[in-house]
Amino acid sequence: MKKSRRKFSAAFKARVAIEALRERETLSELSKRHQVHANQISKWKQEFLENSAAAFESGSAQQEVEAEKQRLYAKIGQLEVERDWLKKISGQLGLPTKSGL
């Protein structure tokens, strides 16, 4: 019978990686306690270290995304006003307009 693959939550992986970083227990002790292979714990630990900078960047990155979003919404509003004005002026001048705009 085929074993189904175990899936671990991000919180579990982070907790095990932090325990490995503390080095209060050996990898073999951690692997026995959490029933995960020592190589897997090492991979989680390495991944945790590589991505740790993202924890401090998320606030500023989120602010940049929101600022860009607001700028784009303002541009969309400006373009809609300009389009409406051009439609009005072209109608007053008797120029044909495309339907659907």
Side-chain angles (χ1 to χ4, degrees):
M1 184 149 78
K2 195 174 187 181
K3 276 189 172 180
S4 63
R5 196 171 196 169
R6 295 188 328 180
K7 295 180 183 173
F8 300 101
S9 68
F12 176 78
K13 292 177 184 180
R15 189 181 60 194
V16 173
I18 290 171
E19 288 180 20
L21 284 170
R22 288 182 181 155
E23 297 181 351
R24 292 183 182 161
E25 297 177 81
T26 63
L27 282 178
S28 62
E29 291 172 340
L30 285 173
S31 66
K32 285 179 186 176
R33 186 157 51 95
H34 294 290
Q35 297 177 349
V36 178
H37 198 277
N39 290 345
Q40 187 66 58
I41 294 174
S42 295
K43 287 180 185 177
W44 291 345
K45 179 180 170 183
Q46 185 64 35
E47 191 175 330
F48 184 85
L49 290 172
E50 290 172 358
N51 297 321
S52 61
F56 299 105
E57 294 174 352
S58 64
S60 63
Q62 183 67 20
Q63 290 173 349
E64 289 175 15
V65 168
E66 286 298 319
E68 179 69 10
K69 191 189 231 183
Q70 291 300 318
R71 187 186 68 77
L72 291 173
Y73 281 136
K75 185 67 174 177
I76 289 169
Q78 176 188 355
L79 292 172
E80 286 180 347
V81 168
E82 289 175 3
R83 183 195 65 194
D84 292 342
W85 181 80
L86 288 171
K87 278 175 58 175
K88 181 181 175 184
I89 294 299
S90 65
Q92 290 175 352
L93 295 175
L95 298 173
T97 60
K98 284 185 176 179
S99 62
L101 285 180

